[in-house]
Amino acid sequence: MTTLDGWVIGGYLVAMLGLARWLGRNQSTEREYYLGGGLPAPALATSILATQCSTNSLLGAPAFVGFAAGGGLLWLQYELAVPLAMLGLAFLFPAVHRSGVISIYAFLEERIGRGARLTASASFLFFRGVATGVTVYGVASVLSLITGIGYVPAVALLMGVTVTYDVMGGMRAVVISDVLQMLLLIAAVLASLIWLAPDLWQHFDALSARTEPLVNDWGVSGETNFGFWPMLFGGLFLYMAYYGCDQSQAQRLLAARNEEDLHKILVFNGLLRFPLVLAYCVLGLCLAAYALQQPGFIDTLPLTASGAPNLNMVFPAFVLREFAPGLAGLAIVGLFAAAMSSIDSALNSLSASTLEDFMPSGTAGSERSRFVTSKIVTLGWGLFAVAFSFGVEHIASTLLESINKVSSLVNGPLLGLFMIAVLLPGTKSSVAIAAFVGGVVMNFALWQLATDVSWLWWNLCGCLATLAAVLLLTNGQRSWIAARDALLATSTPLATRASLTGGFFIMLTLLVIAQGYG
């Protein structure tokens, strides 16, 4: 990396801090700080996309598609469930939005009881807090390799800027910076695709084994966790839980100015995420073709702890090798941008859930006092993520994998809890919590007793088990009729339903065509 690249990166980071200072100058309430004060739907939708397409995705997807054993365009089938999940949220989430809450878990207290709220919020704080620390570790490790600085300076640079602009600007700074960062990220990917297109054209036949995007596997044989069917059905419930029940994602939906904007955000995410991920995947094929064209390229990659080339570094290594000074800095800025867009929203949402769910308004004094407290809590979560990141390398990889699986145990039951709140308001808190626990127990049993079943099915099974349990613990027939009537009464614009359903079938058709050519 040249001096000019360093100036480009430094100038960008300083500009982000200045933008946050300017955006946060008129904020005075916690609602403005956490919900942004009336942001337009396209900006909120772009912010969610930016959060999803993190540095890990930008590095991991090309490596999986172009180089990983058993990889290829299979990654694309993971996206099929997204438009269907957005369609499901178009029916369920308007009731949450109308409640006017800041923390999505406050909706559970309004409809069910405080116990349900605290249970769900505590689950989110634990899993998202740990995940954020792991993200900081992974991103800072990559940045230290790219820039040539040590791990500690990389953490200080990444988190110093991210936490500062998050604290100063709140959700408005998070969203606006995410929009700018997404533009930079797309520009870096498109520039790389244009650069590498001739190599892909020349070596496409040699990469034919990596062009098949579908695997017809039910995910019950133990051969793969990521077959088509578990990704479609399990992924549907996974994405509904993630986008609709995880504060880090749902907070942007709550920030929508009205229900019309809410549906726009859902449609944008349901339709635009696929082409963005498609660009990542084609970039992976292009980089594989480049490696065939430049046989010594892979040997120049940094090494992993096992001594093998770190394939996750193929994209930044290509950028540093081929892009002119200044342009390489802009591409690396795109990596910084992807990292910050994932971390800033997590910190803001962790702060929102902590303050709203565990520090009721009566305990923090005046509105001004709570506004200041919101910034302090955000800073506290930033410091936690930094501190935890230094311990990640001392945690066994199997434990990290277990943490990811344990979070999957609760996704479906958590979605079931919100469905109870939307469709069966007035359910006793103790009954709802017991049903939630029943869903988790069901998933735990699948984990221990059905080891050949893909963990993606846990999202579906946990949700259905939670709903079945609440029907058994109440008057089942009456509850079912009430839920059916509540769902039928939900008003979802025809354009929203048509767009998302049509988007799903267009994506599926494209993948089937690609499968035929593969």
Side-chain angles (χ1 to χ4, degrees), residues 176-247:
I176 299 302
S177 63
D178 282 353
V179 172
L180 297 175
Q181 290 160 1
M182 177 58 77
L183 294 175
L184 285 170
L185 189 62
I186 291 175
V189 171
L190 290 180
S192 300
L193 289 174
I194 293 171
W195 187 298
L196 292 167
D199 290 343
L200 179 61
W201 181 264
Q202 181 177 350
H203 296 283
F204 188 81
D205 290 341
L207 298 171
S208 60
R210 294 186 172 274
T211 61
E212 296 185 5
L214 299 174
V215 173
N216 185 18
D217 189 302
W218 281 97
V220 294
S221 62
E223 294 181 4
T224 176
N225 281 319
F226 306 108
F228 174 79
W229 298 107
M231 280 307 309
L232 181 62
F233 294 114
L236 168 61
F237 284 79
L238 169 64
Y239 287 131
M240 284 185 66
Y242 184 47
Y243 281 97
C245 307
D246 188 300
Q247 179 71 18

Side-chain angles (χ1 to χ4, degrees), residues 131-153:
T132 303
V134 173
T135 299
V136 171
Y137 169 76
V139 172
S141 298
V142 170
L143 293 178
S144 67
L145 289 173
I146 295 173
T147 59
I149 62 178
Y151 177 75
V152 173

Side-chain angles (χ1 to χ4, degrees), residues 5 21 35 80 92 114 119 121 132 179 182 207 210 228 265 271 282 307 312 319 330 368 392 410 414 478 503:
D5 294 327
R21 180 72 182 89
L35 298 183
L80 276 175
L92 297 174
R114 184 158 182 81
T119 299
S121 183
T132 303
V179 172
M182 177 58 77
L207 298 171
R210 294 186 172 274
F228 174 79
I265 295 170
L271 300 183
V282 174
N312 288 320
V319 166
L330 284 175
R368 177 63 185 175
V392 169
V410 303
L414 184 60
R478 185 180 301 172

